[in-house]
Amino acid sequence: RVPVAVLISGRGSNMAALIEAARDPAYPAEIVRVISNRPGTQGLQTATDAGIETAVVDHKACPTKAEFETALATAIEDSGAELICLAGFMRVLSADFVARFAGRILNIHPSLLPAFTGLDTHERALTAGVAVHGCTVHIVNAELDAGPILIQAAVPVAADDTAASLSARVLAEEHRIYPAALAAVARGDLKPVNGRIVRKGLADLPPTL
Ligand code: GAR
Protein backbone atom coordinates (compact mmCIF):
# COMPACT_ATOMS: atom_id res chain seq x y z
CA ARG A 1 0.00 0.00 0.00
CA VAL A 2 1.25 3.45 -0.91
CA PRO A 3 1.85 5.64 2.18
CA VAL A 4 -0.05 8.94 2.06
CA ALA A 5 0.10 12.14 4.11
CA VAL A 6 -3.13 14.18 4.26
CA LEU A 7 -2.86 17.94 4.73
CA ILE A 8 -5.80 19.78 6.29
CA SER A 9 -6.72 23.19 7.67
CA GLY A 10 -10.08 22.60 9.34
CA ARG A 11 -13.10 20.31 9.33
CA GLY A 12 -11.42 17.39 7.61
CA SER A 13 -14.45 15.66 6.11
CA ASN A 14 -12.55 14.76 2.94
CA MET A 15 -9.70 13.49 5.11
CA ALA A 16 -12.25 11.35 6.96
CA ALA A 17 -13.49 9.92 3.64
CA LEU A 18 -9.91 8.97 2.71
CA ILE A 19 -9.29 7.39 6.12
CA GLU A 20 -12.55 5.44 5.84
CA ALA A 21 -11.69 4.15 2.36
CA ALA A 22 -8.21 3.13 3.49
CA ARG A 23 -9.63 1.02 6.32
CA ASP A 24 -10.29 -1.61 3.65
CA PRO A 25 -7.07 -3.69 3.47
CA ALA A 26 -7.62 -4.01 -0.28
CA TYR A 27 -7.44 -0.22 -0.73
CA PRO A 28 -4.09 0.54 -2.43
CA ALA A 29 -3.13 3.48 -0.18
CA GLU A 30 -2.58 3.89 3.55
CA ILE A 31 -2.97 7.18 5.45
CA VAL A 32 0.21 7.39 7.54
CA ARG A 33 -0.04 10.94 8.89
CA VAL A 34 -2.46 13.87 8.98
CA ILE A 35 -0.84 17.31 9.10
CA SER A 36 -2.74 20.50 9.92
CA ASN A 37 -1.43 24.03 9.48
CA ARG A 38 -3.79 25.11 12.26
CA PRO A 39 -3.80 23.72 15.80
CA GLY A 40 -6.98 22.43 17.39
CA THR A 41 -8.92 21.68 14.21
CA GLN A 42 -11.83 19.28 14.07
CA GLY A 43 -9.94 17.25 11.47
CA LEU A 44 -7.06 16.61 13.88
CA GLN A 45 -9.51 15.22 16.43
CA THR A 46 -11.19 13.03 13.81
CA ALA A 47 -7.80 11.66 12.73
CA THR A 48 -6.73 10.97 16.29
CA ASP A 49 -10.03 9.19 16.99
CA ALA A 50 -9.36 7.04 13.92
CA GLY A 51 -5.93 6.10 15.28
CA ILE A 52 -3.99 8.08 12.67
CA GLU A 53 -0.80 9.88 13.65
CA THR A 54 -1.16 13.68 13.51
CA ALA A 55 1.17 16.67 13.37
CA VAL A 56 0.67 20.43 13.43
CA VAL A 57 2.85 22.74 11.35
CA ASP A 58 1.47 26.13 12.35
CA HIS A 59 2.10 28.68 9.60
CA LYS A 60 1.54 31.47 12.14
CA ALA A 61 4.46 30.19 14.21
CA CYS A 62 6.80 30.34 11.20
CA PRO A 63 8.46 33.69 10.45
CA THR A 64 8.49 33.11 6.69
CA LYS A 65 6.61 31.04 4.14
CA ALA A 66 9.89 29.31 3.24
CA GLU A 67 10.35 28.18 6.85
CA PHE A 68 6.74 26.98 7.03
CA GLU A 69 7.19 24.94 3.87
CA THR A 70 10.51 23.48 5.05
CA ALA A 71 8.83 22.31 8.26
CA LEU A 72 5.89 20.97 6.29
CA ALA A 73 8.15 19.06 3.89
CA THR A 74 10.04 17.56 6.84
CA ALA A 75 6.79 16.46 8.51
CA ILE A 76 5.76 14.78 5.24
CA GLU A 77 9.10 13.14 4.49
CA ASP A 78 9.51 11.90 8.08
CA SER A 79 6.20 10.06 7.76
CA GLY A 80 7.48 8.07 4.80
CA ALA A 81 4.59 9.33 2.65
CA GLU A 82 4.97 8.91 -1.10
CA LEU A 83 1.78 10.75 -1.99
CA ILE A 84 0.24 13.88 -0.45
CA CYS A 85 -3.48 14.64 -0.40
CA LEU A 86 -4.55 18.23 0.21
CA ALA A 87 -7.97 18.01 1.83
CA GLY A 88 -9.31 21.46 2.59
CA PHE A 89 -5.72 22.67 3.00
CA MET A 90 -6.02 26.43 2.65
CA ARG A 91 -2.40 27.54 2.15
CA VAL A 92 -1.11 28.11 -1.36
CA LEU A 93 2.07 26.07 -1.88
CA SER A 94 5.09 27.64 -3.59
CA ALA A 95 6.55 26.43 -6.87
CA ASP A 96 9.61 25.19 -4.96
CA PHE A 97 7.48 23.08 -2.61
CA VAL A 98 5.46 21.65 -5.49
CA ALA A 99 8.66 20.82 -7.40
CA ARG A 100 10.00 18.91 -4.38
CA PHE A 101 6.96 16.58 -4.60
CA ALA A 102 6.32 16.91 -8.33
CA GLY A 103 3.38 14.86 -9.56
CA ARG A 104 2.78 13.43 -6.07
CA ILE A 105 0.42 16.06 -4.60
CA LEU A 106 -3.35 15.66 -5.10
CA ASN A 107 -5.96 18.32 -4.30
CA ILE A 108 -9.74 18.38 -4.12
CA HIS A 109 -11.41 21.58 -5.29
CA PRO A 110 -15.11 22.41 -4.96
CA SER A 111 -15.84 23.34 -8.60
CA LEU A 112 -15.63 21.91 -12.07
CA LEU A 113 -12.18 23.24 -12.92
CA PRO A 114 -11.06 25.25 -14.82
CA ALA A 115 -14.19 27.17 -13.76
CA PHE A 116 -14.13 28.90 -10.37
CA THR A 117 -10.57 28.52 -9.14
CA GLY A 118 -9.88 30.01 -5.71
CA LEU A 119 -12.37 30.67 -2.91
CA ASP A 120 -16.18 30.97 -2.53
CA THR A 121 -16.81 28.65 -5.45
CA HIS A 122 -20.45 27.86 -4.61
CA GLU A 123 -21.46 31.52 -4.27
CA ARG A 124 -19.69 32.33 -7.52
CA ALA A 125 -21.32 29.40 -9.37
CA LEU A 126 -24.75 30.62 -8.25
CA THR A 127 -23.97 34.22 -9.25
CA ALA A 128 -22.74 33.05 -12.65
CA GLY A 129 -25.98 31.11 -13.12
CA VAL A 130 -24.35 27.85 -14.17
CA ALA A 131 -26.71 24.86 -14.55
CA VAL A 132 -24.04 22.36 -13.58
CA HIS A 133 -21.47 22.69 -10.78
CA GLY A 134 -19.31 20.05 -9.08
CA CYS A 135 -15.87 19.12 -7.83
CA THR A 136 -12.47 18.16 -9.17
CA VAL A 137 -9.53 16.08 -7.96
CA HIS A 138 -6.33 17.15 -9.68
CA ILE A 139 -2.58 16.93 -9.44
CA VAL A 140 -1.08 20.09 -7.94
CA ASN A 141 1.29 22.11 -10.09
CA ALA A 142 2.81 25.56 -9.52
CA GLU A 143 -0.33 27.36 -10.74
CA LEU A 144 -3.31 27.59 -8.37
CA ASP A 145 -6.06 25.00 -9.08
CA ALA A 146 -4.67 24.43 -12.57
CA GLY A 147 -2.91 21.04 -12.48
CA PRO A 148 -3.89 18.00 -14.54
CA ILE A 149 -7.40 16.76 -13.77
CA LEU A 150 -7.82 13.22 -12.40
CA ILE A 151 -11.58 12.88 -11.74
CA GLN A 152 -14.56 15.26 -11.71
CA ALA A 153 -18.15 14.89 -10.57
CA ALA A 154 -21.00 17.08 -11.81
CA VAL A 155 -23.82 18.36 -9.60
CA PRO A 156 -26.90 19.95 -11.19
CA VAL A 157 -27.82 23.37 -9.75
CA ALA A 158 -31.42 23.68 -8.55
CA ALA A 159 -33.43 26.89 -8.94
CA ASP A 160 -33.78 27.30 -5.18
CA ASP A 161 -30.18 26.39 -4.30
CA THR A 162 -28.28 28.44 -1.75
CA ALA A 163 -24.51 28.27 -1.36
CA ALA A 164 -25.13 26.01 1.65
CA SER A 165 -27.47 23.58 -0.11
CA LEU A 166 -25.28 23.42 -3.21
CA SER A 167 -22.10 22.97 -1.17
CA ALA A 168 -23.66 20.06 0.75
CA ARG A 169 -24.45 18.18 -2.47
CA VAL A 170 -21.01 18.93 -3.92
CA LEU A 171 -19.36 17.78 -0.67
CA ALA A 172 -21.09 14.40 -0.90
CA GLU A 173 -19.55 14.00 -4.37
CA GLU A 174 -16.15 15.10 -3.05
CA HIS A 175 -16.26 12.30 -0.51
CA ARG A 176 -16.99 9.84 -3.32
CA ILE A 177 -14.41 10.93 -5.91
CA TYR A 178 -11.42 11.73 -3.68
CA PRO A 179 -10.95 8.13 -2.45
CA ALA A 180 -11.49 6.92 -6.03
CA ALA A 181 -8.88 9.31 -7.42
CA LEU A 182 -6.32 8.47 -4.74
CA ALA A 183 -6.83 4.75 -5.38
CA ALA A 184 -6.34 5.23 -9.13
CA VAL A 185 -3.11 7.19 -8.60
CA ALA A 186 -1.81 4.74 -5.97
CA ARG A 187 -2.45 1.82 -8.36
CA GLY A 188 -0.83 3.69 -11.22
CA ASP A 189 -4.06 3.61 -13.23
CA LEU A 190 -3.92 7.40 -13.58
CA LYS A 191 -0.65 9.27 -13.72
CA PRO A 192 0.59 12.69 -14.78
CA VAL A 193 2.79 12.63 -17.89
CA ASN A 194 3.97 15.92 -19.39
CA GLY A 195 1.28 17.88 -17.60
CA ARG A 196 -1.61 15.62 -18.65
CA ILE A 197 -3.21 12.61 -17.01
CA VAL A 198 -2.60 9.34 -18.78
CA ARG A 199 -4.71 6.25 -18.17
CA LYS A 200 -2.86 2.97 -17.65
CA GLY A 201 -2.37 1.14 -20.90
CA LEU A 202 -2.67 4.27 -22.99
CA ALA A 203 0.71 5.74 -22.00
CA ASP A 204 2.68 4.00 -24.72
CA LEU A 205 0.26 4.46 -27.60
CA PRO A 206 1.49 6.56 -30.52
CA PRO A 207 0.56 10.27 -30.31
CA THR A 208 -1.69 10.01 -33.39
CA LEU A 209 -4.28 8.05 -31.40
C1 GAR B 1 -13.91 21.12 0.70
O1 GAR B 1 -15.11 21.50 0.08
C2 GAR B 1 -12.76 21.26 -0.25
O2 GAR B 1 -13.08 20.93 -1.57
C3 GAR B 1 -12.45 22.73 -0.13
O3 GAR B 1 -12.60 23.03 1.23
C4 GAR B 1 -13.54 22.13 1.81
C5 GAR B 1 -12.87 21.46 2.97
O4 GAR B 1 -13.77 20.63 3.67
N1 GAR B 1 -11.15 23.01 -0.60
C6 GAR B 1 -10.78 24.17 -1.12
O5 GAR B 1 -11.54 25.11 -1.26
C7 GAR B 1 -9.34 24.24 -1.55
N2 GAR B 1 -9.05 25.51 -2.15
P1 GAR B 1 -13.25 19.45 4.57
O6 GAR B 1 -12.19 20.05 5.50
O7 GAR B 1 -14.46 19.01 5.33
O8 GAR B 1 -12.68 18.38 3.69
Side-chain angles (χ1 to χ4, degrees), residues 8-16 38 41-47 87-88 122 167-168 171 174-175:
I8 63 169
S9 297
R11 180 176 57 183
S13 71
N14 277 290
M15 171 212 75
R38 289 177 50 226
T41 57
Q42 188 185 327
L44 284 170
Q45 188 60 50
T46 305
H122 308 302
S167 114
L171 191 64
E174 294 184 39
H175 297 164

Side-chain angles (χ1 to χ4, degrees), residues 8-16 42-43 86-91 107-111 117-122 135-136 144-145 167 170-171 174-175 178:
I8 63 169
S9 297
R11 180 176 57 183
S13 71
N14 277 290
M15 171 212 75
Q42 188 185 327
L86 309 185
F89 182 72
M90 304 310 274
R91 308 302 297 173
N107 181 45
I108 181 119
H109 182 77
S111 78
T117 60
L119 300 175
D120 303 323
T121 56
H122 308 302
C135 49
T136 302
L144 184 70
D145 298 331
S167 114
V170 170
L171 191 64
E174 294 184 39
H175 297 164
Y178 209 176

Side-chain angles (χ1 to χ4, degrees), residues 110-112 116 121-135 153-167 169-170:
S111 78
L112 288 175
F116 310 120
T121 56
H122 308 302
E123 289 85 347
R124 288 159 57 214
L126 289 174
T127 302
V130 295
V132 180
H133 185 44
C135 49
V155 173
V157 179
D160 60 353
D161 259 326
T162 61
S165 66
L166 185 55
S167 114
R169 294 206 308 290
V170 170

